[in-house]
Amino acid sequence: MSGIAKRGSRVRLLCLSSAVLASLYALPAMAGRVDMSGLQAEEPGGYDRFIVKYRDGSTESTNATQLQRSLSTAASTGVAKRGGRALGLQKLRRLAASGADVVRADRKLDRVEAESLMRQLAADPNVDYVEVDQRMYAVLTPNDTRLSEQWGFGTTAAGINVRPAWDKSTGSGVVVAVIDTGITNHADLNANILPGYDFISDTFVSRDGDGRDANPNDEGDWNPVAGECYSGSPVTNSSWHGTHVAGTVAAVTNNASGVAGTAFGAKVVPVRVLGRCGGYTSDIADAITWASGGTVSGVPANANPAEVINLSLGGGGTCSTTYQNAINGAVGRGTTVVVAAGNSNTNVSSSVPANCPNVIAVAATTSAGSRASFSNYGTGIDISAPGQSILSTLNTGTTTPGSASYASYNGTSMAAPHVAGVVALMQAAAASPLTPAQVESTLKSTARPLPGTCSGGCGAGIANADGAVTAVQGGGPDPDPGTQTYTNGTDVSIPDNNSTGVTSTIAVSGRTGNAPSNAQVAVNIVHTYIGDLIVDLIAPDGSVYVLHNRTGGSADNINQTYTVNLSSEALNGSWRLRARDRASVDTGYINSWSITF
């Protein structure tokens, strides 16, 4: 939110002390961007970790002493002393994908202090952007019910139709990275597990007494004390969440025991990022980079880069630059990123990283083929898959690992690995590696309608393993039916109260014919009062299509995918996204946008 009171927040801000307000107004003009979305989610006890990106070529980017001096200056200027002592701010490490630095304060800050610190950091002309290093949590709703069979693997309309696909592909030769809580010893998994890595850098979260290392074993994510993670958080046993997800992807099959995996010929690289009280964005971002074959400082190269990444985790807010950089890097290396939509029964536009561009967001369905009551929904959902009463591999330990077992869980966490497994089947069946865009297009074009009901939007339908595998083998739809996604990720500032507005352009060439009637326009705008905004898509011939017209009131940010009938427009030419701010006080910028047709 803006340092100047938002109209929808005046009562709360007017309760601040005059000293705090004076410090906010006194800040110099911002040189860098400040992403406040991480402050939307309540952080237990306050905020103490931030991601700061200094501009390439700046002294801070190359000189550790100057970096620490700049951090200390911002901390002492932006946050009032407590107990006579200035706030301390130290660098923890540098991120692989973006070169941004993870920094930690020596005490927890409330929202006002955190915002003031972030704005003071961004006031440095050498700073590109500042974010909260937001904590993510496993996305699941566990239960104790055990089913006698895996209904999601059936050939009914509610399942993913995988049994006939197994006659064509088992996923052999494909690697799936499961970025989660790690892995436990399990006879129904071990043969399909490759060497992984532990990316948890905080020893409170990791419980293993050290930082990052080559041991991805799940040490348990139990919480012995109520309120340990956040106010009101319950006492919980360990979930063994990563083990359950890995089993759905690639449990050993045809071994006369246990459960089957969606792509049982594939291999899983377990990447540990979640532990006690969840895990941090910075660790997850580096894990995405490493898993997809990218370089992370201080970490040995991944000998088995993944064609597919499964992220059954999430938090609230808008997609951060840190997440988007890591995801874009992975996709650029040819890795498909599959993400659980979230379990809040709300629009997926508020769930990170499922709302990030360039991912496949997966909603959960029931055995009746309806949207599960907990599953997120919306136009940002790409596809659905079974996510209720899903039987998979687990562990008996209530805290530390016990013996191997099986259990049924509910959650979009369970739906995502069904889709990740289908992607592995597709890649193994294809004559040459499929691009992430081809994977997504084929999944959608071969999906089957939900036999039940879905309010709010469940994407293209339920993943159809046999249909997708048949398509990429050449026996059905073309694996690249011509649908392509074009993206502009360059920031464009939106002037305050300006009728002309600003535009961001995407040039399309080499295509034939007209655009479709269901073109997808994904818009990510950071703004502190979206009720001020008019957002239009302008076709190459000058035709204007209104996407957003001053709705949403005082809400922050637009992160929305719009379906637009562009059938009268030629594909080739310069497509523009125009944003106009039609009222005073609040400002923002176009972060990124894409058009798919």
Side-chain angles (χ1 to χ4, degrees):
M1 65 183 181
S2 173
I4 300 175
K6 287 172 56 180
R7 280 159 288 183
S9 309
R10 290 189 192 279
V11 174
R12 178 169 62 83
L13 290 180
L14 289 176
C15 295
L16 300 175
S17 70
S18 59
V20 172
L21 284 176
S23 70
L24 293 179
Y25 281 111
L27 294 179
M30 288 190 297
R33 304 193 315 273
V34 185
D35 184 350
M36 297 296 179
S37 64
L39 299 179
Q40 296 174 12
E42 192 67 41
E43 180 68 16
Y47 308 85
D48 65 348
R49 290 172 57 122
F50 304 88
I51 298 172
V52 184
K53 174 64 168 67
Y54 283 90
R55 300 185 191 280
D56 295 340
S58 65
T59 306
E60 288 86 353
S61 69
T62 57
N63 186 299
T65 300
Q66 182 57 45
L67 171 62
Q68 186 56 55
R69 184 179 297 120
S70 297
L71 292 176
S72 298
T73 299
S76 62
T77 306
V79 179
K81 292 182 179 180
R82 182 176 294 183
R85 188 169 66 87
L87 179 73
L89 194 62
Q90 296 287 331
K91 172 187 172 181
L92 296 180
R93 69 179 181 283
R94 181 155 289 175
L95 289 171
S98 62
D101 295 306
V102 183
V103 302
R104 182 168 60 193
D106 61 5
R107 64 175 174 85
K108 295 280 189 178
L109 308 178
D110 61 28
R111 283 190 181 185
V112 173
E113 291 176 316
E115 179 176 347
S116 182
L117 172 62
M118 293 171 72
R119 293 193 181 281
Q120 189 64 50
L121 285 164
D124 185 337
N126 285 339
V127 169
D128 187 4
Y129 61 83
V130 183
E131 304 173 358
V132 177
D133 190 5
Q134 190 177 351
R135 195 186 294 263
M136 301 284 116
Y137 298 91
V139 180
L140 85 158
T141 308
N143 61 53
D144 298 328
T145 303
R146 177 165 182 157
L147 301 178
S148 60
E149 57 187 34
Q150 293 166 277
W151 65 265
F153 289 167
T155 55
T156 67
I160 63 169
N161 195 27
V162 73
R163 292 180 186 179
W166 287 336
D167 292 333
K168 306 175 181 72
S169 175
T170 65
S172 179
V174 177
V175 176
V176 180
V178 173
I179 298 179
D180 213 289
T181 64
I183 200 73
T184 60
N185 178 52
H186 202 296
D188 217 8
L189 273 177
N190 293 345
N192 283 343
I193 301 298
L194 293 172
Y197 210 83
D198 180 0
F199 271 87
I200 300 178
S201 56
D202 187 299
T203 55
F204 173 84
V205 176
S206 69
R207 277 200 167 101
D208 58 7
D210 56 22
R212 295 178 170 180
D213 57 46
N215 180 5
N217 290 346
D218 190 340
E219 304 292 341
D221 57 358
W222 80 96
N223 298 117
V225 179
E228 181 178 52
C229 297
Y230 53 87
S231 178
S233 66
V235 173
T236 60
N237 292 333
S238 289
S239 67
W240 314 117
H241 191 267
T243 298
H244 197 280
V245 169
T248 298
V249 173
V252 176
T253 306
N254 294 328
N255 61 345
S257 67
V259 295
T262 307
F264 55 82
K267 301 298 183 184
V268 169
V269 170
V271 187
R272 187 173 182 240
V273 296
L274 302 178
R276 177 162 53 181
C277 298
Y280 287 104
T281 293
S282 54
D283 289 336
I284 298 167
D286 273 354
I288 292 170
T289 299
W290 180 84
S292 60
T295 301
V296 177
S297 178
V299 178
N302 178 10
N304 302 287
E307 288 94 330
V308 193
I309 287 175
N310 188 92
L311 290 169
S312 287
L313 49 80
T318 58
C319 182
S320 68
T321 302
T322 296
Y323 264 128
Q324 198 61 66
N325 283 340
I327 290 166
N328 289 347
V331 170
R333 288 183 281 273
T335 304
T336 299
V337 181
V338 179
V339 184
N343 298 338
S344 301
N345 187 30
T346 190
N347 197 293
V348 71
S349 62
S350 63
S351 181
V352 182
N355 58 14
C356 294
N358 269 351
V359 306
I360 296 175
V362 185
T365 55
T366 68
S367 58
S370 297
R371 178 175 69 86
S373 60
F374 53 78
S375 177
N376 287 353
Y377 52 81
T379 57
I381 298 293
D382 293 301
I383 202 159
S384 297
Q388 189 170 63
S389 295
I390 303 303
L391 183 67
S392 188
T393 46
L394 211 71
N395 192 279
T396 61
T398 56
T399 55
T400 57
S403 57
S405 66
Y406 301 89
S408 293
Y409 274 178
N410 299 332
T412 55
S413 278
M414 287 61 253
H418 281 87
V419 174
V422 172
V423 176
L425 296 177
M426 294 166 61
Q427 290 286 23
S432 58
L434 304 170
T435 67
Q438 289 174 323
V439 167
E440 181 174 348
S441 174
T442 303
L443 282 172
K444 291 179 175 179
S445 66
T446 58
R448 301 192 297 181
L450 275 68
T453 60
C454 174
S455 58
C458 288
I462 296 176
N464 176 4
D466 190 50
V469 169
T470 300
V472 301
Q473 284 184 321
D478 191 288
D480 184 1
T483 299
Q484 297 184 45
T485 298
Y486 304 85
T487 302
N488 188 330
T490 302
D491 295 350
V492 180
S493 296
I494 303 171
D496 191 29
N497 196 15
N498 183 281
S499 60
T500 304
V502 293
T503 60
S504 175
T505 302
I506 290 175
V508 177
S509 61
R511 303 290 296 274
T512 58
N514 283 6
S517 61
N518 62 341
Q520 303 293 298
V521 181
V523 177
N524 186 320
I525 291 178
V526 177
H527 197 278
T528 50
Y529 201 104
I530 65 173
D532 290 354
L533 294 178
I534 301 173
V535 182
D536 304 315
L537 175 69
I538 304 177
D541 67 356
S543 299
V544 177
Y545 297 83
V546 180
L547 305 179
H548 174 92
N549 191 3
R550 303 193 68 175
T551 59
S554 63
D556 289 345
N557 309 329
I558 297 174
N559 197 348
Q560 180 76 37
T561 299
Y562 303 90
T563 300
V564 187
N565 183 352
L566 300 176
S567 56
S568 64
E569 306 291 345
L571 283 166
N572 288 337
S574 294
W575 296 83
R576 292 176 292 158
L577 186 77
R578 179 174 63 191
R580 292 175 285 169
D581 185 315
R582 302 300 294 122
S584 298
V585 178
D586 295 272
T587 59
Y589 58 93
I590 299 173
N591 187 34
S592 66
W593 74 286
S594 65
I595 185 166
T596 302
F597 44 35

